[in-house]
């Protein structure tokens, strides 16, 4: 994945919200938190749970399967059972477009 892909409109994603989009054949979660927009891999590193079906609390997204939590800004695990971080992607805003690109 070398190019940025438009995944949505910033005006449609309020702070505290997130969306799931396909970027370069991978599902990513794009979250809007107080610090800005961030994108991480949608698959939990513990057992493949869908983070896009989870909940966002501040800067942490929780996997609905076993409760692992990840910081959407860094991809780092904040609460196990996951031990490995999720991949992160670059995000930029152009006008009202949210674009996601390489990590």
């Amino acid at each position: 994945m070398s190019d940025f892909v438009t995944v949505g409109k910033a005006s449609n994603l309020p702070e505290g919200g997130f969306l799931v989009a396909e970027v370069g054949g991978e599902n990513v979660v794009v979250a809007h938190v107080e610090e800005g927009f961030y994108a991480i891999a949608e698959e939990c590193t513990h057992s493949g749970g869908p983070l896009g079906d989870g909940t966002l609390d501040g800067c942490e997204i929780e996997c609905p399967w076993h409760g692992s939590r990840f910081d959407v800004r860094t991809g780092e695990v904040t609460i196990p059972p996951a031990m490995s971080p999720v991949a992160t992607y670059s995000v930029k805003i152009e006008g009202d477009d949210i674009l996601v690109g390489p990590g």
Side-chain angles (χ1 to χ4, degrees):
M1 180 173 68
S2 61
D3 297 325
F4 281 81
V5 175
T6 301
V7 298
K9 299 288 185 188
S11 59
N12 292 336
L13 189 58
E15 185 176 317
F18 64 93
L19 60 86
V20 177
E22 185 177 320
V23 178
E26 301 289 329
N27 284 342
V28 300
V29 173
V30 180
H32 183 186
V33 298
E34 184 177 351
E35 293 88 343
F37 292 84
Y38 296 89
I40 60 171
E42 199 248 349
E43 187 174 308
C44 178
T45 57
H46 173 242
S47 62
L51 296 177
D53 289 343
T55 56
L56 183 66
D57 181 16
C59 293
E60 294 181 330
I61 194 162
E62 182 175 333
C63 179
W65 285 7
H66 301 108
S68 294
R69 292 178 74 129
F70 301 88
D71 188 320
V72 296
R73 299 167 299 177
T74 64
E76 293 296 319
V77 176
T78 58
I79 296 178
M83 300 302 289
S84 300
V86 291
T88 59
Y89 298 85
S90 298
V91 177
K92 62 183 179 179
I93 305 297
E94 290 184 353
D96 192 35
D97 292 333
I98 306 168
L99 295 98
V100 176

